[in-house]
Amino acid sequence: AITGWTAAANVTAGTNANRKLGATAVTLTPAAGFTTGKMAYKAIAGGGTQDFSAYTKINLWFRPTTSAAFNASDLRICLCSDTTGDVVVNGLNFPATLPSTSWNCLVLDYGAALSASVQSVAIYANVDPGTVVLVFNNIFAANNDLSLQTLIGKSDDVNYNIQSIDGTTIK
C-alpha cells in the first residue's frame, strides 16, 4: 500500500497523484538536515513475517520531482527482518537514473533468493540526496520470469510492456 510509510528524522513522507498504479504514489522529501541512512520504512501488508525466498528481484517505479541525476548505489531499497526497517536482510542498490522527472522502471536483481524472514521494506540513502522529492510506486517482489521489463502478448501478435503488477492483476 502507498499510505502508512514512516519517515525518518528530517524526512517527510506523503503521497501525490502522479502515479503508475492506484490513486497515489509515496513521496519522500528529505530536509536539509538529512544526510544519509534510512529515509522511511513500511511494515509488510498483512503483518507478520513474510517469506520472499521464491523471489530474486524487487520491481518498482521511481522518479524525482526535479531534474536530479542519481549515481548507481546512491539509493537502495531494503527488505528487513524487523517491522521498523532497521535490520536489513536484503539491500538492493538503485542503478544510475537519468536527470529528468520521468518515471524510471527499476528491476533490481539481488542475484539470489530474497529472505524468508521479511517484516518491512525501507528506502535508504547511501549518499546525501539533497532536498529533491523522491516518488515511489508499485513496489513488489518477483522471480526471474516476470518483471516490469517483461513483454507480454500472444505469439505472432503485438507485445505490451507491463505497467504494474498488483497481486494477480497485471496491467
Side-chain angles (χ1 to χ4, degrees):
I2 296 305
T3 59
W5 284 77
T6 301
N10 293 312
V11 176
T12 302
T15 60
N16 76 23
N18 185 334
R19 79 288 184 241
K20 285 289 188 175
L21 176 73
T24 59
V26 65
T27 61
L28 298 179
T29 309
F34 179 82
T35 55
T36 61
K38 180 174 67 174
M39 297 180 72
Y41 69 90
K42 179 172 178 36
I44 298 292
T49 301
Q50 302 295 312
D51 182 355
F52 283 21
S53 64
Y55 306 110
T56 59
K57 298 176 183 175
I58 298 293
N59 293 251
L60 67 142
W61 289 99
F62 164 73
R63 75 177 186 87
T65 59
T66 58
S67 295
F70 288 92
N71 295 314
S73 304
D74 283 359
L75 300 171
R76 68 185 165 126
I77 190 163
C78 298
L79 301 179
C80 304
S81 62
D82 64 328
T83 58
T84 57
D86 293 318
V87 182
V88 176
V89 291
N90 303 115
L92 296 93
N93 289 324
F94 284 33
T97 57
L98 299 173
S100 74
T101 58
S102 299
W103 282 102
N104 295 274
C105 170
L106 303 183
V107 178
L108 309 176
D109 191 345
Y110 188 65
L114 297 173
S115 178
S117 300
V118 178
Q119 293 193 68
S120 64
V121 62
I123 305 293
Y124 278 75
N126 295 327
V127 299
D128 187 346
T131 56
V132 62
V133 179
L134 307 173
V135 186
F136 303 88
N137 196 222
N138 193 220
I139 301 170
F140 65 94
N143 62 26
N144 291 329
D145 300 325
L146 193 61
S147 75
L148 289 174
Q149 295 175 342
T150 304
L151 295 174
I152 58 174
K154 295 181 181 180
S155 181
D156 297 325
D157 200 358
V158 176
N159 288 305
Y160 299 93
N161 291 327
I162 294 176
Q163 174 198 7
S164 61
I165 300 175
D166 184 15
T168 58
T169 303
I170 298 175
K171 292 184 181 183

